[in-house]
Amino acid sequence: MLRIKISAFVCCFMILFLDSLAQQARNPIIFADVPDMSMIRVGDTYYMSSTTMHMSPGVPIMKSKDLVNWTLVNYVYDRLGDQDELNLSNQKNAYGHGSWASSLRFHEGQYYVSTFSSNTGKTHIYRTADIERGTWVSTEFSPMMHDHSLFFDQGKIYMIWGSGRIHIAELSPDFSGIKAGTERVLLDDASLPAKPKEGKVGLPAEGSQMFKINGFYYLFNISWPAGGMRTVIVHRASQLEGPYEGKVVLQDQGVAQGGLIEMPEGKWYAYLFQDYGAVGRIPFLVPVTWEDGWPVLGIGGKVPATLNLPANKSLMPGIVNSDDFDRKPGDEALPLVWQWNHNPDNNLWSVTARAGFLRMHTGDRTDDFLSAKNTLTQRTVGPTCSAAIAIEVSNMKDGDFAGLSLLQKNYGLVGVRMEGNAKSLVMINATTGVPQEVAKVGLKQQRIYLKASCDFTNKRDLAQFFYSTDGRNWNRIGNDLKMSYTIPHFMGYRFGLFNYAAKAAGGYVDFDYFHLTAN
């Protein structure tokens, strides 16, 4: 009898324990590609910007009430510029470039986002009074300030930027450029606190984010010591001009690059991210305490798996979501979860030409998927996810190719190809970096269902492709796509809807739905 009572007690304890874990947040807080975060709190609301590089629209703005569950609410720009690279024109592209790490600030009733681009060669500053719905006022100037931090202090506007050697300069009040004579070196070697004895550094200190807390200035950077991991470095000074003293504040699991955020009740967290293979760079929260005026990150120097914050809800619909393409009359907008692979040609797509469908016309001719304009994308998410589409192909032309992709340099896709008057289902695998047609199936139907499934569990990074004639019974097509995060694209894999022409423009396909599932 005693043994039965003890067993019942243990069972009840385990149920309560597991239930308590289910009510806690878990790292990563977003299992998807949301790198280079910059975060602010205004009242009880948090806002976060991130990097989406070559994608359009760009620099997503996300909103949260609890630091864990985030929803896309805006983008900073529709088009960063009009260069051939950004337009995917004349055999040029912006993959892996576009705009990089942004800095998000709130100052005297205005929201500011700054970023920089090697494609434009400039630093870009955007401002608005309404971060969720407002129109952004844009200012740009040279030079391009790498991984900068926009910083307001004592009535002046500063930029802190650089790699290894960190610079500071005062900006003009109208954000038109650097005030003459104000640029100087703030830190000659910001990597120094993380350098091993032999002094080798794989990645010099970068990712600057500056904060002023209780009268002290704190500069966050990351470095990657040779043979080590991504490491968080903080420098501190009592005056903005310095002198600064620096130390390593976190070196665990490669979780690094970001800054500090304070909750209304006074708790502090560091927002950072981790490189996690093919799904991309995923955000983490790390508890922060203070000791002798220094931020102490983690629990015993480690990144915790669970957090005393509300549990993670599904990423859907906040960051990714399904879409049936049903729109009210006059509503031609795409939900914020969608981004184009580059600046789109808006004359070639519509959600109103046929009610309940996304129509995609072909434009510039190409026989290269990565050179095709108007690939419409969403993030993949971990640990596993899949996307299924229904596509109607009766209006394709000879040489057209349309379907569902997993976009990265080493991409994979399944789609319908029109050759003469015949259509085929084709699976392309570019695991090696060179696209190979690995499967081809004759197609008589004008409506076909396609699916891609991803497994990022423990960086397994495998994807499979399927087709169906009825949307219920699925057939495997082709072989496994071994996904890999490549620097030329510098982004986690994305689901993509595509349609391009190898011979002549003018054909089109209709996508009935995009259904996303995530676990």
Side-chain angles (χ1 to χ4, degrees):
M1 180 65 71
L2 180 61
R3 185 175 299 172
I4 294 173
K5 288 182 178 180
I6 292 174
S7 299
F9 173 78
V10 171
C11 288
C12 290
F13 175 80
M14 289 302 297
I15 290 171
L16 290 172
F17 175 72
L18 292 173
D19 184 64
S20 68
L21 286 180
Q23 302 306 313
Q24 288 184 308
R26 299 189 64 85
N27 272 318
I29 57 165
I30 301 175
F31 207 145
D33 193 50
V34 183
D36 303 332
M37 303 95 71
S38 183
M39 196 180 295
I40 59 172
R41 177 175 59 83
V42 180
D44 63 352
T45 304
Y46 305 94
Y47 294 103
M48 176 169 68
S49 65
S50 178
T51 296
T52 49
M53 299 179 200
H54 44 275
M55 296 291 174
S56 178
V59 187
I61 301 295
M62 288 152 276
K63 173 185 178 180
S64 177
K65 289 289 188 178
D66 59 16
L67 280 178
V68 176
N69 297 286
W70 294 86
T71 300
L72 283 160
V73 294
N74 206 351
Y75 286 94
V76 173
Y77 61 79
D78 287 327
R79 304 171 86 87
L80 178 66
D82 201 38
Q83 288 78 9
D84 282 347
E85 290 85 354
L86 296 171
N87 289 330
L88 202 56
S89 298
N90 296 320
Q91 298 181 324
K92 296 181 180 180
N93 69 73
Y95 287 118
H97 295 281
S99 64
W100 283 10
S102 57
S103 181
L104 173 62
R105 295 288 181 261
F106 180 72
H107 180 69
E108 295 182 351
Q110 290 279 312
Y111 295 88
Y112 295 84
V113 173
S114 57
T115 185
F116 65 102
S117 172
S118 62
N119 297 120
T120 66
K122 295 179 178 180
T123 297
H124 300 258
I125 299 179
Y126 303 86
R127 60 190 186 273
T128 183
D130 185 350
I131 192 171
E132 296 187 34
R133 291 168 294 275
T135 300
W136 296 84
V137 176
S138 173
T139 308
E140 58 189 45
F141 60 85
S142 297
M144 177 190 77
M145 294 174 164
H146 176 81
D147 276 15
H148 62 248
S149 180
L150 179 62
F151 189 66
F152 296 88
D153 188 49
Q154 299 182 37
K156 296 181 179 180
I157 312 161
Y158 296 92
M159 280 287 201
I160 298 98
W161 78 98
S163 176
R165 176 174 288 181
I166 306 300
H167 297 253
I168 186 170
E170 186 182 346
L171 298 185
S172 300
D174 61 357
F175 301 95
S176 59
I178 296 173
K179 269 191 174 182
T182 65
E183 180 180 345
R184 69 177 187 83
V185 174
L186 189 67
L187 290 168
D188 190 62
D189 186 3
S191 309
L192 192 60
K195 277 186 177 179
K197 291 182 179 179
E198 59 270 23
K200 294 181 179 179
V201 173
L203 176 71
E206 62 177 22
S208 294
Q209 294 199 35
M210 178 70 83
F211 305 89
K212 187 176 184 180
I213 302 168
N214 295 330
F216 277 89
Y217 297 86
Y218 296 89
L219 179 63
F220 273 63
N221 285 285
I222 68 148
S223 181
W224 197 329
M229 68 180 71
R230 296 170 75 253
T231 299
V232 184
I233 300 170
V234 170
H235 285 84
R236 183 186 74 169
S238 58
Q239 299 181 71
L240 180 59
E241 297 78 12
Y244 283 84
E245 53 180 332
K247 64 192 296 186
V248 171
V249 296
L250 185 68
Q251 197 171 54
D252 182 44
Q253 303 176 53
V255 175
Q257 190 164 345
L260 295 173
I261 193 75
E262 183 184 16
M263 302 187 78
E265 64 270 27
K267 291 183 180 179
W268 288 86
Y269 284 89
Y271 53 89
L272 308 165
F273 68 83
Q274 179 190 61
D275 294 325
Y276 199 85
V279 76
R281 297 179 289 169
I282 57 179
F284 279 67
L285 284 176
V286 179
V288 173
T289 54
W290 293 86
E291 186 175 311
D292 298 327
W294 287 93
V296 178
L297 275 62
I299 308 298
K302 301 296 181 182
V303 176
T306 59
L307 302 160
N308 290 321
L309 291 170
N312 314 63
K313 306 275 185 6
S314 170
L315 295 175
M316 300 168 64
I319 306 297
V320 297
N321 202 19
S322 299
D323 195 342
D324 288 324
F325 304 115
D326 292 323
R327 301 291 187 270
K328 296 179 181 179
D331 181 8
E332 298 185 2
L334 290 169
L336 297 175
V337 293
W338 292 110
Q339 286 177 287
W340 301 97
N341 60 333
H342 280 66
N343 289 344
D345 183 339
N346 289 319
N347 295 314
L348 299 178
W349 69 273
S350 173
V351 289
T352 58
R354 181 183 177 190
F357 289 80
L358 166 68
R359 176 162 293 177
M360 294 181 67
H361 291 263
T362 59
D364 295 348
R365 290 181 300 162
T366 183
D367 58 2
D368 174 25
F369 166 65
L370 294 179
S371 298
K373 291 186 180 181
N374 284 23
T375 296
L376 186 60
T377 78
Q378 283 200 43
R379 294 169 177 83
T380 57
V381 300
T384 62
C385 62
S386 65
I389 69 168
I391 181 173
E392 298 192 2
V393 297
S394 58
N395 292 287
M396 296 179 74
K397 287 189 172 184
D398 181 25
D400 290 0
F401 195 13
L404 175 66
S405 64
L406 284 168
L407 173 61
Q408 232 274 1
K409 177 179 177 292
N410 299 345
Y411 62 86
L413 56 84
V414 60
V416 178
R417 179 186 288 154
M418 184 86 164
E419 296 171 292
N421 294 318
K423 297 185 179 76
S424 301
L425 276 175
V426 176
M427 189 266 175
I428 305 291
N429 190 320
T431 289
T432 63
V434 178
Q436 296 179 326
E437 182 181 304
V438 296
K440 186 175 182 180
V441 178
L443 180 66
K444 300 296 184 182
Q445 292 184 226
Q446 301 304 321
R447 180 181 173 95
I448 192 71
Y449 304 84
L450 307 173
K451 183 168 70 172
S453 296
C454 304
D455 186 355
F456 302 108
T457 308
N458 298 321
K459 299 182 183 179
R460 189 164 181 250
D461 293 348
L462 287 179
Q464 298 177 338
F465 292 85
F466 306 84
Y467 72 94
S468 171
T469 58
D470 59 11
R472 295 184 299 275
N473 301 296
W474 294 95
N475 305 290
R476 177 86 183 277
I477 184 169
N479 54 8
D480 286 352
L481 173 70
K482 177 57 178 174
M483 297 179 287
S484 55
Y485 188 98
T486 70
I487 297 302
H489 275 216
F490 214 0
M491 182 174 286
Y493 275 76
R494 283 188 168 231
F495 294 114
L497 307 180
F498 68 91
N499 183 29
Y500 62 93
K503 294 185 178 180
Y508 66 87
V509 295
D510 290 332
F511 293 92
D512 190 4
Y513 61 74
F514 172 89
H515 288 171
L516 179 66
T517 58
N519 297 307

